[in-house]
């Protein structure tokens, strides 16, 4: 079911069935369209104009819940939590919490937010608010956690994601959106020629399993120095040990200035430019290293490795284990409140 405000969605009452998969359509006056699904609070698509004034969908997604559930990659453009990225078992206020039988869990694990049916709380022509409740003990985390996420498509061609969370017990919280972007269009080929600039002087190196070592390292004289525009291939095709460990880019960059774009990406073919600004302290850049091509768009286009890229605004992975990382513990009475904005524009070929 596609909900178009003012037509199929006169009120909220028809969306109380949490098992009913729905897609909410947001539009602005510039011809852009964003589709949001209540399953995983996912971005299904984002249609933007390219340098030929043609619409391209720049986000990988599907039109049915079954497609998401059967996909090799479970996190397509979902809100992931309650702890995005990797986290090991941890001790909090003198108590040990065991999240898994393995060494760590990724993006909330088997009970993560990506596979929950979110409640649709409010819809307007250009915005939607969704919410989810995570019970005390779910996935091993303490506290009842209430989460709200608002998506807003602005007249400035921005997609804003506003996060809010509250808990009744201290608990680690790290929320992000796991959108897979391809500025050529979903399923339209490699992102290795994407021009990327990252406003970060530092990154967090990895060890086996993709966990951070705890070091906050300089990007100076490394393949992770994207302070000036360069092709993604310059890092991904390198022989750097960190790149080999992750099979590509899958690293957290430290946000230098919250009021300026942390990410600027330009596709030379479409001319589409994507900028990301966030209040969060980092961004995980992931070059879809493990997509297999088995997952296909509704048009039959295969989603392959290196043919999309993720810019996941976040706190750092496994922060409870590293006192030098930004604190991710949300306490009762506090409010987790962060935002991320993705802005799309078009550049001329001579820019």
């Amino acid at each position: 079911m596609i909900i178009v405000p003012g037509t199929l969605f006169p009120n909220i009452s028809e969306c109380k069935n949490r098992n009913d998969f729905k897609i909410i359509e947001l539009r602005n006056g510039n011809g852009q369209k964003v589709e949001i699904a209540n399953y995983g609070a996912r971005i299904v698509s984002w249609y933007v104009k390219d340098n030929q004034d043609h619409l391209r969908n720049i986000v990988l997604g599907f039109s049915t819940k079954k497609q998401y559930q059967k996909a090799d990659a479970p996190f397509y453009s979902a809100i992931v939590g309650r702890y995005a990225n990797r986290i090991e078992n941890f001790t909090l206020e003198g108590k040990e919490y065991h999240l898994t039988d393995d060494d760590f869990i990724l993006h909330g694990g088997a009970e993560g937010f990506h596979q929950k049916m979110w409640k649709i709380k409010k819809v307007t022509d250009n915005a939607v608010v969704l919410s989810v409740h995570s019970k005390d003990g779910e996935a091993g985390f303490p506290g009842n956690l209430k989460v709200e996420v608002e998506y807003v498509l602005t007249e400035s061609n921005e997609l804003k994601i506003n996060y809010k969370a509250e808990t009744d017990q201290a608990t680690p919280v790290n929320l992000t959106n796991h959108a897979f972007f391809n500025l050529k269009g979903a399923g339209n080929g490699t992102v290795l020629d994407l021009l990327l600039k990252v406003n970060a002087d530092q990154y967090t190196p990895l060890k086996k399993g993709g966990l951070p070592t705890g070091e906050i390292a300089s990007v100076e004289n490394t393949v992770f120095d994207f302070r000036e525009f360069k092709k993604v291939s310059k890092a991904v095709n390198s022989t750097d040990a960190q790149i080999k460990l992750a099979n590509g880019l899958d690293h957290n960059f430290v946000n230098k200035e919250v009021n300026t774009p942390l990410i600027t990406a330009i596709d030379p073919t479409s001319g589409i430019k994507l900028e990301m600004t966030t209040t969060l302290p980092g961004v995980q850049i992931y070059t879809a290293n493990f997509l297999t091509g088995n997952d296909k768009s509704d048009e039959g286009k295969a989603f392959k490795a290196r043919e999309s890229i993720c810019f996941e605004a976040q706190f750092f992975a496994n922060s409870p284990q590293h006192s030098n990382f930004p604190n991710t513990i949300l306490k009762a009475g506090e409010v987790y409140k962060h935002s991320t904005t993705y802005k799309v524009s078009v550049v001329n070929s001579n820019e």
Side-chain angles (χ1 to χ4, degrees), residues 36-211:
I36 305 293
N38 59 339
Y39 178 63
R42 300 169 189 266
I43 304 171
V44 174
S45 64
W46 185 4
Y47 287 89
V48 307
K49 291 183 179 179
D50 64 13
N51 52 11
Q52 301 297 316
D53 209 33
H54 298 146
L55 284 173
R56 299 189 187 220
N57 170 30
I58 62 170
V59 173
L60 279 59
F62 311 104
S63 60
T64 69
K65 179 180 176 182
K66 186 176 181 180
Q67 286 170 287
Y68 284 111
Q69 290 177 321
K70 287 191 170 185
D72 286 350
F75 307 113
Y76 280 111
S77 302
I79 298 295
V80 293
R82 68 173 74 170
Y83 201 98
N85 213 315
R86 295 153 178 82
I87 184 172
E88 295 177 294
N89 298 331
F90 60 92
T91 300
L92 179 58
E93 297 181 339
K95 183 176 178 180
E96 292 184 4
Y97 290 93
H98 296 274
L99 305 177
T100 177
D101 292 332
D102 298 321
D103 296 330
F104 60 86
I105 63 171
L106 173 66
H107 295 325
E111 298 179 273
F113 295 168
H114 61 287
Q115 60 179 11
K116 291 183 178 294
M117 297 299 294
W118 290 55
K119 181 180 179 181
I120 303 170
K121 295 190 68 176
K122 182 181 179 181
V123 175
T124 63
D125 287 341
N126 73 322
V128 60
V129 178
L130 305 104
S131 66
V132 73
H133 177 224
S134 178
K135 296 180 180 179
D136 179 31
E138 190 171 75
F141 289 99
N144 292 290
L145 185 71
K146 296 180 180 179
V147 176
E148 274 190 8
V149 170
E150 179 186 39
Y151 288 101
V152 183
L153 179 62
T154 76
E155 292 304 307
S156 299
N157 297 332
E158 299 166 323
L159 180 59
K160 293 179 176 287
I161 309 175
N162 300 315
Y163 301 91
K164 181 181 177 182
E166 296 177 278
T167 181
D168 59 4
Q169 293 181 52
T171 188
V173 180
N174 185 19
L175 305 174
T176 194
N177 179 278
H178 205 305
F180 286 76
F181 291 103
N182 187 332
L183 304 188
K184 289 183 175 70
N188 284 351
T190 183
V191 297
L192 292 180
D193 59 347
L194 189 74
L195 296 173
L196 179 63
K197 184 178 180 180
V198 185
N199 188 28
D201 294 331
Q202 298 171 305
Y203 78 107
T204 51
L206 305 177
K207 59 184 179 181
K208 186 178 179 181
L211 289 160

Side-chain angles (χ1 to χ4, degrees), residues 238-271:
S238 77
T239 58
D240 183 87
Q242 280 285 306
I243 296 295
K244 286 187 173 181
L245 182 66
N247 195 35
L249 276 172
D250 193 5
H251 295 78
N252 171 64
F253 291 74
V254 179
N255 194 358
K256 187 177 178 181
E257 299 175 70
V258 298
N259 293 319
T260 60
L262 174 54
I263 296 292
T264 306
I266 300 173
D267 176 70
T269 303
S270 67

